[in-house]
Amino acid sequence: MQLLFLLEQVVNGLVLGGYYLLIALGLSLIFSVGGVVNLAHGAFYALGAYLSIAVAKHLGFGAGVVISPIAVALLGILFERFILRRFYTADPILSLLVTFGLALVTEQLIRIIWGASPLPASMPSALKGSVVLGDFLFSRYRLLLLAVAALVLVGIWLLLNKTSFGRVVRAGIQRPDMVAALGIRLQPYMTVIVMLGVGMAALGGALFAPIALVHPAMGAEIIAVAFVVVVIGGLGSFWGVVLAALLVGVVRGITIHFLPAAGEASMFVLMFLVLLLRPRGLLGERIEKFE
Amino acid sequence: MSKDNKDVSSTRAIAGRRRVLKAGAGMAGALALGFPAIVRSQAGPIKIGHLTPLTGFLGALGGWAQLGIKMAAEEINASGGINGRQIDLISEDSVNPATAATKAQRMYERDKVDVLMGEINSASAKTIMQVAERNQRLFMSIGPRSDALRGANCNRYTFHVDIPVTVMVNAEGQGLLREGLIKGKRIYALTSDYLFGHDLAKAAKKFVTANGGTVIGDELIATSATDFSPYLLKIRQAKPDLIATNLGGNQVTNFVKQYAEFGLPYPVAGFNLNTADAWAAGAGNLGGIWPTVWHHEIDTPGTKAFVAAFRKKYGKTPENHAWIEYVSLKVMAQAMTATKSTDTSKLIAYFESEAKFDLLKPRMGYFRSWDHQMMQEAYTFTVRKPGTYKEAWDFLQFSAAIPAADQPLELLAPTKAENPCTFK
């Protein structure tokens, strides 16, 4: 029986990992291609949640979840074109500062527009409740969330591995100088990557709004987790991020099963161990430009 | 080629991965810790230092607290101030217990405040209380509810306005006993892992065992937790008769939302809930019985006037933290007016005389002289059925006051035998 309970936690951890993935994957892509750790990533996540609530008020829950990430992705274009682009070649400290500053500005903007107190958000009652599969209990809503995350994952994988767009991006991650020598500008590709990345973060925010607190500092909460996932997975590695997101979810579930008070600390311990044993991250590749 | 200089492809100029990671981790950490908000203060001679968390898991409540105390200060100043002196309110984010202590010391020493007020976080209040005692200056602890602050950690320079954990547990417990949810029942507890939660869990456990219930599980949950699904699975495995939550701040809302998401069949009761937590959970997510210290539907002229003025000024209905900060500054103003002074020992003597204060509730409150905690009415509330209320604010149905009008206010508070408070 004990083992079954543990297994239930593992499966639940995988579901949670799927959600972490939505946010971490974009962060990893933007870093891999542009060399910028986007500390404003959490801000786009928060914007996604707030916009989805604003849209849902008029057009319903489904419209909110669809429209909000698209709107944030469009904002991402402006973000890349007018801010991020100036910092690809600059000292990384500068891009950290500017994205960090943007995170603060966005958080305060949210306070000014929507107020400091958390916004209420509910899901349609049809999605409430749980399903029991075998001996396992799943929240119906989280299964949907997992399906969306899986769809996004497949989409991004196909884009990176089966299209000419993806070939250029992958080449750009490994050998930007060669890409340049072949006469290909990476800039437009970067715009698309940033757009996709922040769009995914916003989707994560919109999907999580009905089950967690929607408040101005929610972006700061998630950026720490996303960063941990990216570091554990290894920079530049698609499957590394996937593996790390699932692992963080599972380790948290198992820790809570045995030692509930240590649940939130578990992911940082995991990151610590991974960095000790394999500083490059689980599946991190050797990337010339970062060495 | 000149065009290419600005291109992404020149990222070779970038410094090592290690450096980016290190800096990134530091910044992400700083981001997670939160940033102090800078708050405008007014000019005037009576300086009131105000500390409350504006970031972190109690930050949402702190936002309400600031609105309340600012409104009180403006009202007092508009009517001529205290003893002809205007109030200068210096309000800052207390961030965490360590920062709270540093800021408290700075406010006493450099800003030369006459008194310190505020706080919601019990752990931060504990450190500020130590600073107040060291400086032999007054601190009015407004929102913290931990029993330990009024008990083992009490000192003669601190006064406590909010109802303590024991009162919440007793008020809530009476409600649960009436519903037959304690005697002979198996109770599973979720506890916030900091001073307040520990205190609450201790008091709740004592009440449950004294009334014939069994606590079959008690999980400590970090204050930063946003996902409760692993705990919900453990609850389902334990199949309790009642889930009792000893959570604080954002945790309550997150738990309530996710409990509704999973749709587990066990009844939920909480020993702590603030109106803001309930509002943030959204309609249809909340159920169960909860304790509270004040509610905007309380039928007194004072509450009606306060709610109307607050709505006019801020365009929303006040939450209980806005109320308590508002009345606390009024209480302080009353003491300063009566003693014609801002002197610490005179104010302490006035409060210890058990002078009565209007808390906008049917009965007046007073600070109990030997442990400095406010004696006042408490309430419980349940959730109204959808369709029976008009405004989103109004989905809570609150009960008659506890203790009842013919019972002493001290009824629910710990007795002298139970409370180890002595002043040095």
Side-chain angles (χ1 to χ4, degrees):
Chain A
M1 209 52 183
Q2 189 66 20
L3 195 68
L4 201 68
F5 287 163
L6 193 60
L7 200 61
E8 189 173 26
Q9 290 289 5
V10 170
V11 177
N12 182 63
L14 288 174
V15 177
L16 186 68
Y19 154 72
Y20 287 153
L21 185 61
L22 271 181
I23 295 118
L25 192 58
L27 189 67
S28 168
L29 275 177
I30 294 173
F31 179 79
S32 305
V33 185
V36 171
V37 175
N38 178 23
L39 289 176
H41 213 63
F44 290 104
Y45 162 84
L47 269 183
Y50 272 91
L51 285 178
S52 77
I53 292 177
V55 174
K57 249 185 213 158
H58 302 287
L59 302 172
F61 174 76
V65 169
V66 174
I67 293 176
S68 146
I70 294 176
V72 173
L74 294 178
L75 259 176
I77 298 180
L78 299 179
F79 168 56
E80 198 278 336
R81 177 64 190 81
F82 293 106
I83 299 176
L84 219 48
R85 185 171 288 185
R86 298 164 193 276
F87 295 94
Y88 295 139
T89 55
D91 188 311
I93 280 294
L94 293 181
S95 62
L96 283 175
L97 280 175
V98 80
T99 54
F100 184 53
L102 191 69
L104 294 184
V105 169
T106 314
E107 189 181 322
Q108 291 306 328
L109 264 180
I110 290 177
R111 275 211 177 88
I112 291 169
I113 299 174
W114 283 285
S117 24
L119 287 194
S122 300
M123 63 182 91
S125 49
L127 294 174
K128 271 185 195 165
S130 41
V131 267
V132 180
L133 298 175
D135 283 312
F136 296 146
L137 177 86
F138 293 100
S139 136
R140 203 172 295 170
Y141 184 78
R142 280 181 208 226
L143 284 183
L144 179 85
L145 212 149
L146 185 66
V148 173
L151 264 179
V152 169
L153 184 67
V154 169
I156 296 286
W157 187 84
L158 287 175
L159 183 71
L160 287 180
N161 289 283
K162 298 289 170 196
T163 63
S164 57
F165 172 87
R167 272 195 293 282
V168 175
V169 169
R170 278 182 297 137
I173 293 177
Q174 283 300 332
R175 297 296 298 266
D177 44 351
M178 278 305 284
V179 177
L182 290 169
I184 300 170
R185 287 181 68 220
L186 266 176
Q187 223 159 62
Y189 292 87
M190 195 56 207
T191 310
V192 177
I193 289 293
V194 171
M195 197 183 88
L196 285 175
V198 302
M200 276 191 279
L203 180 63
L207 285 173
F208 220 50
I211 52 178
L213 194 69
V214 179
H215 63 126
M218 65 188 292
E221 275 172 12
I222 202 72
I223 187 79
V225 181
F227 193 74
V228 166
V229 166
V230 171
V231 169
I232 291 176
L235 296 163
S237 164
F238 180 83
W239 291 112
V241 178
V242 177
L243 183 68
L246 299 181
L247 199 62
V248 165
V250 170
V251 167
R252 185 170 175 269
I254 294 176
T255 312
I256 288 176
H257 185 79
F258 291 109
L259 196 68
E264 302 311 307
S266 63
M267 69 177 90
F268 299 104
V269 175
L270 182 67
M271 175 171 84
F272 178 69
L273 289 178
V274 167
L275 284 180
L276 263 187
L277 301 172
R278 207 180 141 76
R280 195 178 282 171
L282 291 177
L283 299 180
E285 292 165 32
R286 184 171 177 279
I287 300 173
E288 203 177 323
K289 67 185 177 192
F290 298 134
E291 295 297 327
Chain B
M1 277 312 283
S2 64
K3 220 175 167 188
D4 272 348
N5 283 341
K6 274 177 77 184
D7 205 293
V8 194
S9 46
S10 348
T11 36
R12 269 164 300 141
I14 260 171
R17 173 196 332 234
R18 201 168 291 246
R19 186 161 166 224
V20 178
L21 274 187
K22 262 204 301 216
M27 302 281 271
L31 204 55
L33 287 176
F35 288 86
I38 298 161
V39 176
R40 193 173 53 92
S41 61
Q42 308 160 340
I46 293 185
K47 285 195 168 180
I48 305 233
H50 182 244
L51 289 168
T52 201
L54 294 175
T55 46
F57 76 111
L58 296 168
L61 300 178
W64 286 103
Q66 255 190 355
L67 296 183
I69 198 161
K70 272 180 167 167
M71 191 169 120
E74 281 167 25
E75 278 184 14
I76 293 168
N77 284 340
S79 62
I82 301 169
N83 304 327
R85 297 165 72 192
Q86 294 279 297
I87 291 179
D88 181 6
L89 182 70
I90 306 168
S91 182
E92 286 188 25
D93 184 357
S94 56
V95 187
N96 58 40
T99 312
T102 316
K103 288 196 172 187
Q105 180 65 34
R106 198 201 65 208
M107 282 183 163
Y108 281 134
E109 212 171 283
R110 201 191 68 195
D111 300 333
K112 304 257 185 290
V113 298
D114 293 290
V115 291
L116 263 186
M117 300 178 69
E119 261 320 321
I120 295 171
N121 186 324
S122 296
S124 297
K126 189 176 165 185
T127 63
I128 298 176
M129 283 172 68
Q130 289 160 357
V131 175
E133 188 175 30
R134 219 169 33 236
N135 289 278
Q136 307 195 334
R137 303 290 297 281
L138 199 63
F139 169 48
M140 186 180 273
S141 168
I142 301 181
R145 292 173 172 172
S146 159
D147 277 328
L149 300 180
R150 297 132 166 101
N153 296 317
C154 76
N155 69 47
R156 67 182 305 260
Y157 296 97
T158 309
F159 289 81
H160 309 268
V161 186
D162 212 337
I163 46 173
V165 159
T166 301
V167 168
M168 289 197 295
V169 167
N170 287 340
E172 170 74 12
Q174 296 303 331
L176 293 176
L177 278 177
R178 260 201 315 272
E179 305 278 325
L181 284 168
I182 291 200
K183 198 168 182 335
K185 300 291 182 183
R186 299 159 68 245
I187 291 149
Y188 199 96
L190 296 176
T191 296
S192 184
D193 195 3
Y194 80 113
L195 179 64
F196 166 74
H198 297 174
D199 250 32
L200 192 57
K202 211 167 90 189
K205 204 167 187 168
K206 198 171 133 202
F207 185 91
V208 166
T209 23
N211 288 285
T214 331
V215 177
I216 56 163
D218 186 5
E219 309 278 352
L220 287 177
I221 302 178
T223 54
S224 58
T226 50
D227 171 60
F228 283 76
S229 58
Y231 301 102
L232 294 173
L233 294 180
K234 291 186 84 169
I235 289 172
R236 174 176 172 258
Q237 289 156 6
K239 300 190 176 38
D241 297 312
L242 173 74
I243 304 168
T245 67
N246 306 308
L247 302 173
N250 293 354
Q251 287 182 323
V252 185
T253 315
N254 279 326
F255 172 78
V256 162
K257 276 178 136 175
Q258 288 170 33
Y259 191 78
E261 177 205 355
F262 274 79
L264 294 181
Y266 318 108
V268 180
F271 290 103
N272 175 46
L273 180 79
N274 293 294
T275 325
D277 307 330
W279 288 338
N285 284 333
L286 191 73
I289 307 171
W290 307 80
T292 190
V293 61
W294 177 84
H295 192 258
H296 65 272
E297 289 179 339
I298 286 177
D299 192 17
T300 60
T303 283
K304 281 191 178 131
F306 166 65
V307 172
F310 193 94
R311 280 181 176 151
K312 188 163 169 248
K313 184 168 166 57
Y314 297 115
K316 51 188 174 185
T317 301
E319 198 267 352
N320 52 284
H321 284 92
W323 159 79
I324 201 163
E325 299 273 336
Y326 176 85
V327 293
S328 293
L329 189 57
K330 292 288 175 92
V331 164
M332 186 62 86
Q334 181 183 327
M336 287 177 172
T337 309
T339 58
K340 295 191 176 50
S341 161
T342 56
D343 179 66
T344 303
S345 53
K346 281 186 185 155
L347 291 174
I348 291 177
Y350 181 76
F351 288 136
E352 283 187 345
S353 71
E354 302 202 339
K356 297 278 193 292
F357 299 102
D358 181 9
L359 304 176
L360 316 183
K361 299 181 184 185
R363 288 167 82 178
M364 308 273 272
Y366 62 91
F367 286 110
R368 194 158 63 171
S369 60
W370 58 271
D371 65 355
H372 289 186
Q373 52 176 328
M374 181 72 84
M375 297 292 121
Q376 59 186 312
E377 292 179 334
Y379 310 87
T380 58
F381 59 76
T382 50
V383 179
R384 286 178 180 152
K385 295 227 157 38
T388 59
Y389 53 90
K390 272 184 288 188
E391 297 288 327
W393 312 108
D394 294 336
F395 68 79
L396 305 172
Q397 170 72 54
F398 82 110
S399 73
I402 306 169
D406 53 350
Q407 292 170 319
L409 277 179
E410 283 196 48
L411 189 73
L412 299 182
T415 61
K416 211 158 191 171
E418 288 166 346
N419 191 2
C421 170
T422 44
F423 297 137
K424 274 177 265 183

